[in-house]
Amino acid sequence: MKRIYLDYNATTPQADEVTEAMLPYFRERYGNASSPHLFGREARGGLERARERVAALIGADTREIIFTSGATESNNALIKGIARKKRDAGRHIITTAVEHHSVLAPCKALEREGFEVTYLGVDSYGVIDLDQLRDALRDDTVLVTVMSANNETGTLQPIEEIATLVRERNSVFHTDAVQQAGKLPLDVKELHVDALSLSAHKFYGPKGVGALYVRRGVVIPPLLEGGHHERNLRAGTENIAGIVGMGRAAELARERMENDRVLVTSLRERLHREITQRISDVVVNGHPERRLPNTLNVSFRYVEGESVILSLDMKGIAVASGSACTSGSLEASHVLLAMGVPPEQAYSSVRFSLGRYTTAEEIDCLVKELPSIIERLRSISTFSR
Ligand SMILES: *Cc1c(COP(=O)(O)O)cnc(C)c1O
């Protein structure tokens, strides 16, 4: 059976160029980057070259990049770090209702420790309201964290405008830019963000490696304490092969960003067009324009998204649904619910996320299979019409 992967927002295949760049660091370049000898210097060289490449992807200085185990660590470390550092200055944090769980969960943890967290609502496209943010900002607001692009819908937030508001109030602004990196340009200096999280495996790099950008002048406590790695900010022997892979992936992302964007935009539009022509009662979730080029989140009314992904999986086609089955019951996406999407429509949502290696043939194969799947599921559906 052919396998078709349309779940790039969950993870991307690792680019062959990335694997090639990593291989020497699994074999002969096994040194510890802290060692002063030849082996150590070799590893250090790979580490620092990777730092330059990751910094270049987001317009940062190399000294502003800390390598981590992924965006979950970056988000946790920054959010909890700022809170710890500033708890005497204020205990208020602002975020949004549509963040990734790796932002929401640390915010919840801080609430249990006495912080107050404001969860900004979003409009029906998933965009926050700047007036609402302005009203929420207080003298004791120590951190504002708003994702740049949503992983479920692809909706983009007005990051530059948010940064301006936060700066006026002398608070710290962090953005989870995992989904935007490599898909659309991202420049920390232009956007004026103070901190930003990245994950390698969302842009064709390896899993288990990420980065945290922290603007010079913004002080956070060490993410992990121990040795003197990462300028004393994140102790532990570096995952050199992974970091080298992330660096190569960042370099490729820069080179290929425009090509990738044009390709996935046209394939996404083709998919959208074919779906609406062949299937009735389809609604798009997310912003029609201010959205990632690769993401299409739609609800096929009267069917469960979960059933759609299982049926497509039997055909070898991998997509994601907006609802997650947790402990036997279906849980509608917190992102769609925050957008005011009715629960039934949220249960019906399916996310198609395309990428660098998606082909027109794959999209055609999907649109050939989809109508009969939806028709069959609707014929047995218990959803009311
Ligand atoms: C995948 C993802 C994360 C988590 O990244 P990991 O490196 O897998 O921990 C965080 N935020 C967003 C928006 C994501 O899509």
Side-chain angles (χ1 to χ4, degrees):
M1 187 167 63
K2 274 202 310 287
R3 303 188 333 153
I4 297 179
Y5 187 76
L6 295 170
D7 199 10
Y8 278 75
N9 285 10
T11 193
T12 55
Q14 183 167 301
D16 285 339
E17 297 93 326
V18 168
T19 307
E20 286 301 323
M22 292 170 73
L23 284 177
Y25 293 87
F26 286 120
R27 293 176 176 147
E28 61 272 20
R29 297 188 199 160
Y30 47 77
N32 182 325
S34 301
S35 304
H37 48 59
L38 173 68
F39 295 81
R41 291 199 307 275
E42 235 168 36
R44 169 68 53 189
L47 175 63
E48 295 311 326
R49 223 169 10 259
R51 199 185 308 281
E52 285 164 18
R53 292 170 172 178
V54 170
L57 180 65
I58 58 169
D61 292 342
T62 52
R63 281 184 303 170
E64 297 171 316
I65 302 292
I66 308 164
F67 286 111
T68 65
S69 66
T72 298
E73 181 186 334
S74 301
N75 287 340
N76 267 269
L78 185 283
I79 293 166
K80 292 174 180 166
I82 293 287
R84 252 176 69 199
K85 192 85 192 170
K86 301 265 187 99
R87 68 185 321 140
D88 295 329
R91 299 198 177 180
H92 180 232
I93 292 170
I94 300 176
T95 186
T96 80
V98 296
E99 297 298 307
H100 190 266
H101 288 294
S102 58
V103 165
L104 292 176
C107 286
K108 291 277 179 233
L110 288 170
E111 279 185 289
R112 291 191 292 273
E113 291 176 25
F115 278 80
E116 191 188 332
V117 180
T118 300
Y119 298 88
L120 298 174
V122 293
D123 65 15
S124 60
Y125 296 131
V127 183
I128 69 156
D129 177 15
L130 291 170
D131 289 329
Q132 213 188 342
L133 170 62
R134 193 180 287 112
D135 292 344
L137 279 162
R138 318 190 307 216
D139 291 339
D140 64 341
T141 306
V142 290
L143 174 69
V144 177
T145 174
V146 178
M147 72 197 322
S148 71
N150 188 271
N151 45 302
E152 292 187 28
T153 60
T155 293
L156 302 170
Q157 299 293 349
I159 293 303
E160 206 174 336
E161 289 84 344
I162 296 169
T164 304
L165 286 179
V166 177
R167 203 150 35 117
E168 281 167 7
R169 300 299 297 263
N170 288 318
S171 192
V172 171
F173 178 43
H174 165 254
T175 186
D176 172 346
V178 167
Q179 290 293 340
Q180 184 166 342
K183 298 189 181 106
L184 293 172
L186 200 53
D187 188 302
V188 290
K189 303 256 156 37
E190 273 172 30
L191 294 171
H192 290 289
V193 301
D194 297 309
L196 179 148
S197 300
L198 294 174
S199 176
H201 76 96
K202 303 290 174 78
F203 57 89
Y204 312 95
K207 290 163 188 60
V209 55
L212 176 63
Y213 155 83
V214 184
R215 188 171 59 75
R216 205 170 336 160
V218 175
V219 182
I220 56 165
L223 323 190
L224 288 175
E225 289 169 287
H228 300 297
H229 315 83
E230 298 295 287
R231 297 188 351 273
N232 290 327
L233 283 171
R234 205 266 187 185
T237 303
E238 302 86 350
N239 170 10
I240 300 292
I243 289 169
V244 165
M246 182 175 192
R248 183 71 179 109
E251 185 180 54
L252 281 171
R254 244 156 55 96
E255 287 166 14
R256 304 201 41 163
M257 195 174 309
E258 188 54 17
N259 277 342
D260 287 355
R261 190 186 65 76
V262 170
L263 171 83
V264 297
T265 305
S266 86
L267 292 178
R268 199 259 318 259
E269 294 314 317
R270 178 183 187 128
L271 173 60
H272 186 194
R273 198 171 54 240
E274 294 288 333
I275 284 177
T276 45
Q277 274 171 12
R278 293 173 192 227
I279 303 169
S280 62
D281 292 309
V282 180
V283 216
V284 174
N285 301 307
H287 200 284
E289 286 103 39
R290 285 194 50 81
R291 180 170 46 145
L292 291 173
N294 77 317
T295 308
L296 178 64
N297 187 314
V298 294
S299 288
F300 298 101
R301 284 197 201 279
Y302 320 121
V303 301
E304 279 178 359
E306 197 73 1
S307 309
V308 178
I309 58 167
L310 294 178
S311 302
L312 283 172
D313 185 43
M314 287 196 281
K315 306 278 184 190
I317 304 174
V319 303
S321 88
S323 43
C325 202
T326 40
S327 56
S329 69
L330 213 54
E331 214 172 273
S333 144
H334 70 285
V335 174
L336 298 183
L337 294 181
M339 288 157 59
V341 169
E344 281 209 341
Q345 184 181 324
Y347 285 127
S348 302
S349 76
V350 176
R351 178 188 70 189
F352 303 97
S353 51
L354 288 52
R356 188 180 292 167
Y357 308 115
T358 306
T359 63
E361 291 70 39
E362 289 177 330
I363 297 301
D364 291 345
C365 180
L366 167 64
V367 296
K368 204 159 96 303
E369 299 288 354
L370 206 47
S372 56
I373 288 173
I374 301 297
E375 193 179 337
R376 181 176 55 80
L377 290 173
R378 280 181 179 165
S379 72
I380 58 172
S381 160
T382 55
F383 277 27
S384 57
R385 307 190 171 208

